Amino acid sequence: MKFAVLVFPGSNCDIDCYKAVEDTIGQSVDYVWHTATDLSAYDAILVPGGFSYGDYLRCGAIARFAPVMNEVVKAAEQGKFILGICNGFQILTEAGLLPGALRRNSGMKFICAQTQLEVVNHTSAFTSEYNAGEIIDIPIAHGEGNYYCDEETLAQLKTNNQIVFRYAGDTNPNGSIENIAGICNERGNVVGMMPHPERAVDEILGSADGKRMFTSILNAWREQHGAAVNG
Ligand SMILES: NC(=O)CC[C@H](N)C(=O)O
């Protein structure tokens, strides 16, 4: 299986994503610059965190016009796996690949903290290795992680099982509507989340709970391509 890690000017979690793929599932992975116009070689695309284009206008608002984003839209239409983490989530909402928007944290401060997440959807291609309702430790680091969508969209997210993660219990670090920490598109092949699973792939980092997102993606890809495939 082949992964692309997109790199925009200002990305700062690209190396973490690359290492996470290498260390957790040992699959092929390339950095792909934001000017690229062909992603056909890749099965999964990681849109990493950071401060693309300095977060000017709004986080992700400029990155969404980068040439590579046309290819990300194409890849999403082809059913490839796309995971946007933090700034990557912001870029995917700006690009219209995921519904809703990320606003300034309700406390108006950048928050860097370990959080507990509830796995709400454990049947997606990205979360099949988790148990229903499992609580996992994954860190956050953002200033604009306050997820918002209108009531109609929220109802659709619930009906289609598109809420993937919530901040557990009463914890809600950024004011997100209904504690939402991550969502997927209706088809289930595009996920966006504010917490950073790539920073939680080894106990030495404080948690290894993010590891199973990567193993889930690999398993889903292998299932799609037949159990014989060992890429
Ligand atoms: N870690 C990140 O990706 C940060 C995202 C964005 N720059 C924010 O502050 O919200």
Side-chain angles (χ1 to χ4, degrees), residues 45-47 81-85 92 126 191-193 197 213-214 217:
I45 294 146
L46 303 182
V47 192
F81 301 124
I82 298 170
L83 174 61
I85 300 168
L92 295 181
F126 300 76
V191 163
M193 60 193 294
M213 284 205 78
F214 296 94
I217 297 170

Side-chain angles (χ1 to χ4, degrees), residues 186-202:
E186 206 175 331
R187 187 169 172 181
N189 65 314
V190 180
V191 163
M193 60 193 294
M194 289 313 295
H196 288 269
E198 83 285 11
R199 293 188 190 178
V201 292
D202 196 309

Side-chain angles (χ1 to χ4, degrees), residues 98-221:
L98 290 170
L102 282 313
R103 303 189 299 185
R104 287 290 298 274
N105 291 347
S106 50
M108 302 303 275
K109 289 209 165 84
F110 190 97
I111 308 170
C112 195
Q114 194 71 8
T115 60
Q116 292 205 310
L117 304 182
E118 175 195 344
V119 181
V120 181
N121 175 343
H122 73 294
T123 58
S124 84
F126 300 76
T127 52
S128 63
E129 296 279 293
Y130 296 104
N131 301 314
E134 187 175 344
I135 306 294
I136 59 174
D137 286 332
I138 307 280
I140 56 165
H142 58 248
E144 295 191 17
N146 180 353
Y147 182 74
Y148 176 79
C149 63
D150 62 28
E151 300 235 324
E152 198 185 320
T153 307
L154 185 60
Q156 281 169 1
L157 290 178
K158 288 181 184 170
T159 310
N160 302 326
N161 202 14
Q162 287 174 250
I163 300 174
V164 181
F165 299 109
R166 289 185 204 268
Y167 299 105
D170 289 335
T171 62
N172 187 341
N174 50 33
S176 290
I177 194 163
E178 298 208 6
N179 297 4
I180 289 175
I183 57 168
C184 63
N185 64 347
E186 206 175 331
R187 187 169 172 181
N189 65 314
V190 180
V191 163
M193 60 193 294
M194 289 313 295
H196 288 269
E198 83 285 11
R199 293 188 190 178
V201 292
D202 196 309
E203 288 301 342
I204 203 168
L205 300 171
S207 168
D209 287 345
K211 212 168 161 174
R212 281 177 285 159
M213 284 205 78
F214 296 94
T215 50
S216 296
I217 297 170
L218 179 59
N219 286 345
W221 184 81

Side-chain angles (χ1 to χ4, degrees), residues 12-13 49-51 55 59 85-88 90 110 141-145 194 196 199:
N12 70 1
C13 303
F51 297 78
D55 280 351
C59 299
I85 300 168
C86 203
N87 193 222
Q90 295 162 338
F110 190 97
H142 58 248
E144 295 191 17
M194 289 313 295
H196 288 269
R199 293 188 190 178

Side-chain angles (χ1 to χ4, degrees), residues 33 176 222:
W33 191 230
S176 290
R222 283 188 171 152

